[in-house]
Amino acid sequence: MGIVVEYNPDLALRDHSEFTRGRRNREECVPKQLTAGRVYAFAKLGQRNYWLMGEIPLLVTHGDQKLGLPIASIQILEATHRLRGGSVWTVGKYKVIEVYKPGDKTIHFNGFAKTHS
């Protein structure tokens, strides 16, 4: 039996409407209003590793690995693994560095490299 660990180059959270409908916890969703400079909590099911030494994209996920374009540039400040209800969760905090305008199709990242600010 092995240890399942997922390496994520981004933070993909659910749309805020999933929280307002009662389908997800607040930390599993993008905040209703993202503000540059603010710190937010996150929670992801599974044991995940994130890059902590720079900025990564924040995305909205629709499930089944269907991801939207980056909505912000963030930096993960901390990530911890916990047991919740018999499942492994990764919880932590991230700081919003820059928020992108809705519909912005500019390429902001090339792998881990931010292309501009």
Side-chain angles (χ1 to χ4, degrees):
M1 178 178 188
I3 299 170
V4 178
V5 178
E6 188 171 325
Y7 293 84
N8 294 129
D10 51 44
L11 179 60
L13 300 175
R14 298 293 178 137
D15 186 77
H16 184 75
S17 63
E18 292 291 307
F19 168 68
T20 57
R21 292 182 181 137
R23 295 182 186 156
R24 300 279 175 169
N25 294 322
R26 180 182 306 273
E27 295 82 17
E28 293 178 88
C29 301
V30 172
K32 186 173 186 176
Q33 181 67 40
L34 274 176
T35 304
R38 252 186 98 183
V39 175
Y40 299 92
F42 73 91
K44 294 287 291 180
L45 180 62
Q47 190 165 331
R48 298 162 185 268
N49 287 336
Y50 293 98
W51 186 51
L52 302 179
M53 297 304 295
E55 296 176 44
I56 63 171
L58 175 64
L59 315 171
V60 175
T61 179
H62 306 287
D64 298 323
Q65 300 177 349
K66 294 178 186 156
L67 304 173
L69 293 172
I71 60 170
S73 174
I74 64 165
Q75 183 169 14
I76 302 282
L77 301 175
E78 61 184 63
T80 305
H81 303 118
R82 297 206 163 131
L83 287 176
R84 285 187 180 172
S87 296
V88 175
W89 284 78
T90 303
V91 298
K93 295 185 187 221
Y94 63 95
K95 181 177 181 179
V96 177
I97 307 301
E98 181 180 3
V99 178
Y100 305 132
K101 294 178 181 168
D104 181 357
K105 295 192 187 309
T106 304
I107 296 172
H108 296 281
F109 289 89
N110 182 5
F112 284 112
K114 190 170 178 189
T115 56
H116 61 14
S117 57

